[in-house]
Amino acid sequence: MGLLDKFKRKKIEGIDDSTYLTLREERRISRENTKTIKEYERIRNRKNVSEEEYLTQMRDPANVVEFDNLHTYFFTDVGTVKAVNGVSFDIPQGKIVGVVGESGCGKSVTSLSLMQLVQAPTGQITQGSIRYQDEDGKCYDVTKMPRDKMLRIRGKDIAMIFQEPMTSLNPVFKVGEQMDEVILLHEEDSTDDSARERSIEMLNLVGIADVKKVYNSYPHELSGGMRQRVMIAMALLCNPRLIIADEPTTALDVTIQAQILELLRDVKEKINGSIMFITHDLGVIAEMADYVVVMYAGRIIEQGTVREIFHEPKHPYTIGLMRSKPGGHVEGDRLYSIRGQVPNPINMPNHCYFYNRCDKAMDICKRHYPAMTQFNSDHRAACFLYSDEILPEEKEDKEDGEGR
Amino acid sequence: MAIDTEKGKKPDYTDMEDHIETDLEQNFRVISPGRMVTKRFFKSKLSIVGLAMIIFVFLFSFVGPFIINHTWGYKETQVFKIERNADMVSTAEFKGPDGRTYDYYDRSKTLVIFKAPPSRDHWLGTDTSGFDILTRLMYGGRISLIISFIVIILETFLGIILGGLAGYFGKWVDQVIMRIVDIFACLPGLPILLILSATINSIESIPAEHRIYYLMAFLTLMGWTGVARIVRGQILMLREQEYMMAAETTGIRPLNKIFRHLVPNTMPQLIVSATLGLGGVILYESTLSYLSLGVPFPRAAWGSMIALADPSRGQEILAYYPNMWVPAGLLIVIAVLGFSFIGDGLRDAFDPRMKR
Amino acid sequence: MAIEKMDLTTTNDDILVVNNLKKYYPLSKFTIKKDPVSVRAVDDISFTIKRGTTMGLVGESGCGKTTVGRTILRLHEVTDGQVIFDGKDLAKVPRRKLRKMRPQMQMIFQDPYSSLSPRLPVGEIIGEAVKEHNIVPKSKYRSYILKVMRDCGLQPQYYYRYPHEFSGGQRQRISIARAVALNPKFIICDEPLSALDVSIQSQIINLMKDLQEQHGYTYLFISHDLSVVEYISDTIGVMYLGSMMEMGDKKKVFANPMHPYSKALLSAVPVSDPDVKMNRIVLKGDIPSPINPPSGCKFRTRCPYAMPICAEKAPVFKEYEENHKVACHLYSQD
């Protein structure tokens, strides 16, 4: 493959446009990664972290979770992937926050960071904090929390629902056993009987008709929609304060999706919890969310209440996404489309990431990354179209300047 | 679609909507798949050790003979007579003409042709026939490696063709080929090889030098079934991939489909199995040579060198001359282990599930 | 079930006529029973597609829409029925001849990752069959491939690259280029968008529309995404559990869905407007297994309007309005 191809390529175009790294670059990246990862792992693996270190104060006590300037990087073989690059948003108590974006925009990594489930050692939270407030009003910084402490929160206070329920259920155990186990693990005063009772109660809650049968069946015996219901029931077992739903309906059919969405809304009311709803489907977001966060290439480009985002989208990317959805189109009209490809957040340049795909790109867009412009208390967008201030050169250069 | 009229001209693509290739789309480069495999391979210490072992064995067997030939002029079947002073040998008495009895002392030097201990001239000594052991180890390694490579190449070739046909066509073709595979696979390899080798040895019309080719043919026949199974299994899996369905809809010939789309995708598995197989063939060959059914005598082979220590020929060599058989045994271990380590390393390197 | 005598004469307008197509997968190969248990993936489906138009086929997973596409192309053997493509019954064409006919009908696959051979460069993927079928003379081969690539929005320097170097959207373009390069008349698009990002989906839709305009392709567009189907198709068929429930002119079906299933399906699509609250019909339960489908009307187990007759008799697929057929007892009573 290797050598011969390089000649061939040059022949056809006369330019070197190899998409492959040279050996030297590869070595350099490897070396740097080893060094950085070692440093982060050392901090992560410390023993006996005192509680003061990760106790903090919430910015607004009405929030369950606050993401504050979160940076999650992956130190991969091809370079540093800035999967989450300075993300700040809040999840208020009892609300649904929708996170939208295309593949590789960092929406899933954001939620995994909150769960401390980022694939170490390549993935590391390098900067920022995630504040979580528990029932007693105690506030923790998840990024600094030791892993054993996190175990108590994960799955109990914060539960997660995944896209493909089949892979998140263990195929060799019965559904009921798996549910009981969660309770027995998290609730100290629970017995086998009480756990069973609770599991069945939850299965009832998610609208499963034949509860006994489902309780005693293996995951593969259930249909996709049923499995997702079981997953939701499982997430509800320990009265979570926050449910992270990562594309929970993407693998389901429309009619089943409608069922599950309705169920999630019901459930939220019943347990008075919050939901962080991650999806790429704008329709689902419009239906579910109270607040919307639009992500692109690891950054938030626009956020606001659902009405603001859908009725007065500001960022050209948000506008483009809305317009490129077919439906409600005039006959024979060409569909609006955003040109170009979805970027992979490696070696991002020091300018607006959407510049090359944007219809309204200006000169300044190629020189700086736009700051967030505040439209009202909730609605913000990162675009130069709305920022009237001219940013001083030196301030920008410092931020995010290491475009390799 | 209209056929392009501007033949040979460089196509004009400036009007292409997507042509505005920007730094954002080309902002990073990936590692080529080949390099990725290399990288993962070298991540494992064991595979590096294996590689070092195999490189050593190769240098020893292929470069070694030249060096030893040029520096000392030693050859594979050269007999070395070692000088030895035998000045206190005989105690035979004989009567002199004077009627007295004399003792006989032989002060001459004799030339002993075997079992010289390690010395400066012969680092590992010489064996029972007076051959230099080091030299023979080199030649023995060469023959072992050549045999194993040829056998593996042949059996992979055979396996690809038969396994490919079985996997792709299925139905009766598959049935026939796989039953043949089953039959071969249930034959006990070693006994059959012993019988066949012994038979060939007894056929006088076959010259001793040619025995080695028959040996290779037998080893191939015994080994191809494994490859065929791997290829068939892989192809059954790959056949369900959408690109095979795409190949079907575009109406590509079956043979092209097998050998352009399917077989190249089984290559990783084949390389792994071939590497692991190399060690096996070396073992087989050594076993046969040990039983003097493999490489015929004047030629060197690791197996036959170990056979010198065979207890049935007396305990003497086993007990007092480790220099004759330990090095050969060590080399076999190094070669077999080395190929195993490399094979394992390659398997992990090719396996996409290891991807990080 | 005996096939009714249908007249084979098709007007030149219809490029594809599917008559009573059936595809059963036997559950066990070795059975003595005469009527072995089988999965009825496609159960008696008929439709026609006019030249140069797009037919959308919608339905949920497991409804057999993908199997319909693959059976039409004989990627799976037809159990029963006719597939008349350009006047020839494909179900009866011998394999060898079929291969020669392949370029006329192409397919674009769902998964852009597994539908491209990983060890062939892009130029080869697109051009392999062009060479095999001698679509263009050898001297023009290279420029032809480059032209096809350009038409599909691929840059010429991609010619020697390998699929793994591309993103999903570009891979789908390659897949389209491969189909288009053979100069087909008819292309089956099997969920070509479902693996792509939202912003890329619209690019691909536009590309497909443009190609259709330029070359007059006929599409069979299989998808579960109703909004896409509404946008791209001229006629639309709604499938459920291997059977066609409703079929007709796109506008008629979308404006006036007659079958309860179509109604539910249409109302289930989320709308990108937080203030529009759909009057949603949420269907109860799951799709039954196609091994043992409900008697009578297959939809009756989930149908909000189910009547006693639905369990007894399968409804007839009948035209109730011009270019609008439905299989439902609600309309056949009077």
Side-chain angles (χ1 to χ4, degrees):
Chain A
M1 237 151 100
L3 197 66
L4 210 66
D5 270 2
K6 275 190 192 128
F7 286 124
K8 275 198 212 150
R9 284 178 188 190
K10 282 195 181 126
K11 224 165 71 190
I12 194 165
E13 265 304 278
I15 46 163
D16 172 29
D17 67 325
S18 170
T19 51
Y20 295 137
L21 284 168
T22 61
L23 203 59
R24 192 187 291 171
E25 285 171 306
E26 191 190 316
R27 291 241 172 84
R28 184 179 55 80
I29 291 169
S30 267
R31 239 193 341 264
E32 281 171 11
N33 283 351
T34 328
K35 222 172 82 188
T36 352
I37 288 172
K38 214 180 203 171
E39 184 60 25
Y40 284 116
E41 283 294 287
R42 195 181 56 77
I43 297 170
R44 234 167 67 94
N45 290 334
R46 277 179 312 160
K47 296 234 163 65
N48 306 325
V49 183
S50 66
E51 205 170 47
E52 289 94 69
E53 244 180 279
Y54 55 85
L55 270 181
T56 63
Q57 218 57 71
M58 237 36 194
R59 193 169 51 225
D60 181 353
N63 293 335
V64 186
V65 169
E66 289 172 356
F67 291 92
D68 193 357
N69 197 25
L70 178 72
H71 289 70
T72 306
Y73 291 178
F74 287 87
F75 298 96
T76 66
D77 291 340
V78 293
T80 305
V81 180
K82 297 180 178 174
V84 178
N85 194 2
V87 161
S88 313
F89 67 95
D90 305 335
I91 302 177
Q93 167 72 33
K95 298 281 184 205
I96 301 180
V97 175
V99 183
V100 235
E102 299 179 288
S103 59
C105 73
K107 53 191 195 298
S108 287
V109 178
T110 308
S111 68
L112 292 177
S113 306
L114 170 57
M115 296 287 266
Q116 270 201 10
L117 285 175
V118 180
Q119 271 286 318
T122 30
Q124 300 286 352
I125 297 173
T126 55
Q127 204 187 322
S129 55
I130 306 170
R131 289 184 290 268
Y132 163 73
Q133 183 177 235
D134 72 4
E135 277 159 304
D136 316 326
K138 253 187 174 178
C139 175
Y140 303 102
D141 186 348
V142 171
T143 56
K144 296 198 181 72
M145 229 163 148
R147 267 175 281 182
D148 51 331
K149 292 273 180 345
M150 190 63 206
L151 281 179
R152 269 181 241 158
I153 293 180
R154 195 195 293 158
K156 182 169 182 287
D157 291 356
I158 307 176
M160 203 157 179
I161 305 166
F162 294 94
Q163 174 177 351
E164 191 26 82
M166 191 62 208
T167 50
S168 25
L169 288 169
N170 192 334
V172 296
F173 292 111
K174 286 181 182 163
V175 166
E177 291 169 25
Q178 297 187 47
M179 293 183 74
D180 294 351
E181 199 193 337
V182 177
I183 303 170
L184 293 172
L185 194 76
H186 284 298
E187 273 162 29
E188 282 145 20
D189 51 348
S190 58
T191 59
D192 282 4
D193 286 338
S194 74
R196 188 183 146 83
E197 227 165 78
R198 177 90 183 142
S199 303
I200 288 180
E201 187 193 332
M202 283 305 130
L203 286 175
N204 263 322
L205 187 75
V206 296
I208 290 174
D210 196 351
V211 174
K212 287 268 157 56
K213 196 177 144 208
V214 170
Y215 184 87
N216 282 318
S217 39
Y218 290 95
H220 67 91
E221 296 171 326
L222 304 173
S223 69
M226 203 59 107
R227 267 183 234 136
Q228 201 55 287
R229 277 172 195 271
V230 169
M231 278 306 291
I232 294 172
M234 235 166 137
L236 295 177
L237 284 172
C238 297
N239 286 324
R241 289 171 56 74
L242 173 68
I243 298 174
I244 300 173
D246 192 350
E247 307 253 7
T249 58
T250 308
L252 303 175
D253 289 312
V254 232
T255 56
I256 310 291
Q257 167 173 292
Q259 292 174 1
I260 297 292
L261 293 184
E262 204 176 62
L263 170 69
L264 273 173
R265 264 194 308 256
D266 277 4
V267 153
K268 193 210 79 180
E269 291 305 318
K270 278 181 196 156
I271 63 162
N272 190 29
S274 316
I275 297 180
M276 178 176 170
F277 199 99
I278 300 167
T279 182
H280 67 274
D281 190 333
L282 288 167
V284 172
I285 282 286
E287 217 166 87
M288 295 292 292
D290 299 309
Y291 296 96
V292 180
V293 172
V294 187
M295 287 183 74
Y296 187 78
R299 284 183 175 236
I300 295 179
I301 50 131
E302 185 163 2
Q303 65 189 104
T305 63
V306 71
R307 283 205 173 71
E308 285 159 353
I309 297 290
F310 281 89
H311 291 320
E312 316 153 40
K314 298 288 187 191
H315 198 284
Y317 175 67
T318 324
I319 299 170
L321 273 189
M322 310 259 176
R323 282 178 62 194
S324 59
K325 278 275 280 188
H329 256 266
V330 191
E331 181 76 14
D333 219 9
R334 237 179 103 86
L335 205 54
Y336 177 82
S337 71
I338 305 173
R339 61 166 177 266
Q341 307 294 324
V342 182
N344 204 332
I346 303 180
N347 308 339
M348 278 319 220
N350 183 23
H351 63 64
C352 180
Y353 301 163
F354 192 58
Y355 170 74
N356 60 322
R357 304 178 72 190
C358 185
D359 282 341
K360 299 194 175 110
M362 299 176 292
D363 204 31
I364 188 168
C365 303
K366 213 184 173 180
R367 282 184 280 124
H368 301 294
Y369 191 88
M372 277 279 182
T373 309
Q374 195 94 27
F375 297 105
N376 58 43
S377 60
D378 293 317
H379 196 181
R380 280 179 281 172
C383 183
F384 283 117
L385 281 178
Y386 309 103
S387 76
D388 26 342
E389 51 171 334
I390 303 299
L391 296 152
E393 298 279 338
E394 61 272 16
K395 186 189 152 202
E396 278 297 294
D397 286 348
K398 273 183 187 167
E399 277 180 31
D400 203 79
E402 311 121 26
R404 282 184 195 124
Chain B
M1 177 171 284
I3 291 164
D4 197 7
T5 44
E6 31 170 0
K7 158 187 150 197
K9 247 192 249 168
K10 213 176 185 188
D12 169 40
Y13 50 84
T14 42
D15 56 341
M16 265 177 55
E17 192 189 3
D18 285 78
H19 187 63
I20 324 140
E21 190 86 354
T22 59
D23 48 348
L24 268 167
E25 274 153 45
Q26 289 264 303
N27 64 335
F28 74 102
R29 295 167 165 211
V30 292
I31 299 179
S32 77
R35 194 105 60 67
M36 203 70 193
V37 169
T38 332
K39 201 180 163 114
R40 269 183 258 151
F41 179 78
F42 283 111
K43 239 178 205 159
S44 141
K45 294 220 171 55
L46 217 52
S47 42
I48 298 176
V49 171
L51 195 66
M53 286 158 105
I54 293 307
I55 288 176
F56 164 72
V57 171
F58 262 80
L59 289 178
F60 181 77
S61 320
F62 287 94
V63 183
F66 285 106
I67 293 174
I68 210 147
N69 228 332
H70 281 284
T71 48
W72 286 299
Y74 292 174
K75 295 208 175 55
E76 185 182 3
T77 50
Q78 191 177 350
V79 176
F80 294 94
K81 301 193 172 177
I82 310 293
E83 263 184 21
R84 211 179 266 182
N85 291 328
D87 46 356
M88 29 172 258
V89 178
S90 175
T91 51
E93 293 172 6
F94 61 94
K95 257 200 172 95
D98 52 355
R100 284 157 70 181
T101 309
Y102 292 91
D103 277 351
Y104 175 82
Y105 290 98
D106 183 0
R107 294 185 64 91
S108 74
K109 287 181 175 173
T110 51
L111 284 172
V112 181
I113 61 161
F114 51 84
K115 295 198 266 194
S119 63
R120 188 180 261 192
D121 284 344
H122 304 284
W123 289 1
L124 292 172
T126 62
D127 66 6
T128 48
S129 314
F131 299 146
D132 179 62
I133 290 175
L134 185 64
T135 315
R136 287 186 57 91
L137 280 175
M138 291 170 178
Y139 280 97
R142 197 166 72 170
I143 202 99
S144 281
L145 289 175
I146 290 175
I147 288 180
S148 56
F149 268 90
I150 290 177
V151 166
I152 287 294
I153 288 168
L154 286 178
E155 78 183 32
T156 307
F157 192 66
L158 203 62
I160 286 178
I161 290 180
L162 290 171
L165 294 176
Y168 181 78
F169 287 108
K171 300 195 181 113
W172 66 269
V173 182
D174 186 31
Q175 286 295 324
V176 169
I177 294 176
M178 288 329 282
R179 291 305 78 78
I180 296 173
V181 166
D182 286 343
I183 291 169
F184 270 97
C186 72
L187 294 178
L190 197 58
I192 299 241
L193 275 176
L194 292 181
I195 295 166
L196 284 173
S197 307
T199 318
I200 290 202
N201 280 0
S202 64
I203 300 173
E204 278 171 19
S205 58
I206 299 171
E209 311 85 75
H210 288 183
R211 250 199 265 158
I212 213 166
Y213 303 123
Y214 288 92
L215 178 69
M216 289 197 276
F218 293 148
L219 286 173
T220 307
L221 274 181
M222 300 307 299
W224 68 274
T225 55
V227 183
R229 276 202 177 132
I230 291 175
V231 173
R232 174 183 173 266
Q234 279 290 315
I235 283 182
L236 283 182
M237 196 188 79
L238 294 171
R239 213 169 55 160
E240 300 304 314
Q241 297 279 317
E242 278 187 348
Y243 62 82
M244 285 319 293
M245 214 165 287
E248 171 77 31
T249 49
T250 49
I252 290 166
R253 279 188 201 92
L255 278 185
N256 273 350
K257 269 195 278 179
I258 301 176
F259 293 108
R260 283 173 60 93
H261 290 253
L262 290 173
V263 171
N265 286 307
T266 62
M267 269 309 158
Q269 279 76 16
L270 284 180
I271 292 174
V272 171
S273 88
T275 320
L276 292 171
L278 282 169
V281 178
I282 289 182
L283 272 184
Y284 256 121
E285 183 272 330
S286 307
T287 316
L288 288 174
S289 299
Y290 179 91
L291 297 165
S292 66
L293 294 169
V295 183
F297 165 64
R299 316 292 307 278
W302 289 343
S304 52
M305 294 176 78
I306 297 178
L308 293 176
D310 191 343
S312 61
R313 302 181 194 180
Q315 299 282 339
E316 188 198 358
I317 290 177
L318 188 63
Y320 303 116
Y321 294 93
N323 62 315
M324 278 191 208
W325 54 274
V326 168
L330 269 180
L331 279 172
I332 292 178
V333 170
I334 289 176
V336 174
L337 264 188
F339 282 126
S340 289
F341 287 163
I342 291 182
D344 284 343
L346 282 176
R347 185 172 47 208
D348 294 347
F350 282 129
D351 197 343
R353 275 166 298 183
M354 284 280 291
K355 202 174 159 197
R356 293 220 265 172
Chain C
M1 192 195 225
I3 321 164
E4 289 170 53
K5 274 272 177 220
M6 288 252 180
D7 69 315
L8 265 172
T9 51
T10 52
T11 50
N12 207 29
D13 263 4
D14 298 333
I15 193 160
L16 184 81
V17 179
V18 175
N19 280 336
N20 304 90
L21 182 71
K22 284 177 196 160
K23 175 67 196 171
Y24 295 171
Y25 293 99
L27 276 185
S28 107
K29 267 184 194 167
F30 310 100
T31 174
I32 341 160
K33 271 187 273 175
K34 229 183 173 180
D35 189 21
V37 184
S38 50
V39 181
R40 301 179 172 198
V42 178
D43 200 4
D44 204 356
I45 277 187
S46 310
F47 59 89
T48 45
I49 306 181
K50 282 199 167 52
R51 225 171 267 278
T53 64
T54 303
M55 161 141 183
L57 203 54
V58 287
E60 297 177 281
S61 58
C63 74
K65 53 189 194 299
T66 299
T67 318
V68 169
R70 293 187 175 174
T71 318
I72 288 174
L73 291 191
R74 284 254 321 257
L75 294 173
H76 301 319
E77 286 301 331
V78 178
T79 307
D80 198 4
Q82 293 172 315
V83 179
I84 299 153
F85 176 77
D86 237 4
K88 273 167 268 168
D89 188 354
L90 286 183
K92 296 195 177 62
V93 176
R95 281 261 151 205
R96 196 165 302 226
K97 276 207 184 129
L98 188 67
R99 197 171 69 76
K100 292 274 188 291
M101 287 173 68
R102 286 282 188 210
Q104 296 177 33
M105 38 197 183
Q106 283 304 303
M107 191 155 181
I108 298 164
F109 293 87
Q110 172 175 11
D111 182 0
Y113 291 88
S114 81
S115 63
L116 302 177
S117 216
R119 268 157 220 273
L120 290 182
V122 170
E124 196 65 18
I125 289 175
I126 299 172
E128 193 185 14
V130 174
K131 262 190 243 165
E132 187 122 359
H133 293 288
N134 291 321
I135 306 278
V136 287
K138 254 211 177 101
S139 57
K140 288 183 182 157
Y141 169 76
R142 173 71 159 268
S143 58
Y144 175 71
I145 299 295
L146 287 175
K147 182 182 179 300
V148 171
M149 283 172 67
R150 188 185 58 182
D151 286 350
C152 295
L154 294 164
Q155 292 168 47
Q157 67 262 35
Y158 295 169
Y159 193 89
Y160 283 115
R161 286 196 192 159
Y162 287 86
H164 66 87
E165 296 172 54
F166 295 97
S167 64
Q170 282 169 311
R171 280 158 164 263
Q172 207 57 296
R173 283 174 192 272
I174 297 169
S175 192
I176 292 174
R178 171 176 60 195
V180 165
L182 291 173
N183 206 0
K185 292 178 187 160
F186 173 58
I187 303 179
I188 294 181
C189 315
D190 187 2
E191 305 241 15
L193 307 175
S194 63
L196 304 179
D197 277 317
V198 189
S199 69
I200 307 299
Q201 281 187 3
S202 55
Q203 292 177 3
I204 300 292
I205 296 177
N206 280 342
L207 172 65
M208 290 177 52
K209 273 239 155 180
D210 291 351
L211 289 171
Q212 186 173 35
E213 260 164 43
Q214 283 168 30
H215 306 289
Y217 298 139
T218 310
Y219 288 134
L220 174 63
F221 196 93
I222 299 167
S223 177
H224 66 272
D225 190 338
L226 283 156
S227 49
V228 172
V229 171
E230 182 185 6
Y231 178 74
I232 204 163
S233 0
D234 300 303
T235 52
I236 169 170
V238 181
M239 279 184 74
Y240 184 77
L241 220 59
S243 300
M244 197 71 94
M245 293 284 140
E246 182 163 1
M247 187 171 70
D249 195 78
K250 169 191 57 179
K251 280 187 205 144
K252 284 178 183 158
V253 175
F254 272 90
N256 176 27
M258 288 173 83
H259 199 282
Y261 178 62
S262 321
K263 282 181 187 169
L265 206 59
L266 282 175
S267 77
V269 180
V271 185
S272 301
D273 191 334
D275 287 342
V276 176
K277 287 284 173 251
M278 286 290 286
N279 197 3
R280 180 160 294 161
I281 308 164
V282 176
L283 291 176
K284 297 274 167 287
D286 288 311
I287 305 173
S289 147
I291 300 168
N292 191 11
S295 63
C297 175
K298 287 176 174 171
F299 185 57
R300 72 176 164 86
T301 49
R302 297 174 75 194
C303 184
Y305 311 106
M307 300 173 290
I309 188 173
C310 298
E312 288 157 23
K313 220 168 71 183
V316 188
F317 195 53
K318 241 166 64 181
E319 195 160 30
Y320 288 95
E321 164 179 23
E322 202 196 341
N323 281 334
H324 194 174
K325 292 178 174 180
V326 184
C328 185
H329 285 300
L330 277 180
Y331 306 98
S332 64
Q333 271 174 330
D334 37 45

